[in-house]
Amino acid sequence: MLDQARYDAEVALFRRKNFLPGAWKFVDLNGARPFLAAAVKTKVGNIYTIQIELKNFPQYVPKVFVTKMLKRCDGVAMDSPSRSMHTLASEYGWTRICHYGAESWTPGVSLYKIYIKCALWLNCYEQHLRTGKPMDYYLTHQA
């Protein structure tokens, strides 16, 4: 669970990166499903919302969702695990992003780094929509 010192460090990092205060928010930190909600603006100007679950953070890789069900360029929902598309099984009716392999995870990874990796994923997703190439064309896998 996110203790006060880690929470303070995460908030300070987002502020240092000049993240707009309204673009991210910690929600339900003392509840059953704590998460960080953050807006991501892609290079082409589309805005997505991601949720980073904090229940077992930073000890374990947090689940990250785009708060809608994305579709591949062929119209198929991105709701199941796909190595080539870097997705995991969906929950809440949302696409779940594969952003870190369990073997690559360390508790020192910041929420900001996860955010940056998810922003990269979303930009690659938009390239997939434009070109039809799988996410593997743009992203590499971690252990």
Side-chain angles (χ1 to χ4, degrees):
M1 188 66 180
L2 197 64
D3 64 23
Q4 188 63 47
R6 181 65 183 258
Y7 169 82
D8 292 342
E10 297 288 351
V11 168
L13 182 57
F14 272 90
R15 288 183 178 149
R16 260 196 327 275
K17 297 295 183 179
N18 293 319
F19 225 74
L20 296 174
W24 55 280
K25 179 181 180 181
F26 286 91
V27 178
D28 198 28
L29 286 181
N30 297 313
R33 195 175 150 264
F35 61 89
L36 170 66
V40 177
K41 186 174 183 180
T42 62
K43 297 284 185 189
V44 299
N46 292 322
I47 298 174
Y48 299 87
T49 302
I50 62 170
Q51 278 193 10
I52 304 172
E53 290 195 352
L54 303 174
K55 184 175 182 182
N56 296 310
F57 179 82
Q59 293 79 14
Y60 299 97
V61 180
K63 294 179 182 180
V64 178
F65 301 93
V66 180
T67 61
K68 63 191 254 180
M69 181 55 66
L70 301 178
K71 294 186 177 178
R72 298 185 324 212
C73 65
D74 60 5
V76 174
M78 298 176 79
D79 61 354
S80 59
S82 171
R83 184 169 174 79
S84 66
M85 295 303 286
H86 294 253
T87 58
L88 299 167
S90 70
E91 295 176 36
Y92 320 112
W94 300 339
T95 298
R96 182 174 169 199
I97 295 175
C98 182
H99 61 93
Y100 256 98
E103 297 297 318
S104 300
W105 181 256
T106 68
V109 175
S110 70
L111 292 171
Y112 184 77
K113 185 172 184 180
I114 295 167
Y115 171 86
I116 292 299
K117 289 184 80 169
C118 293
L120 174 64
W121 189 97
L122 285 163
N123 278 283
C124 292
Y125 167 71
E126 290 188 341
Q127 288 301 308
H128 157 73
L129 293 178
R130 190 177 63 76
T131 67
K133 293 179 178 165
M135 300 289 279
D136 264 355
Y137 181 81
Y138 305 103
L139 299 170
T140 59
H141 289 275
Q142 290 183 305

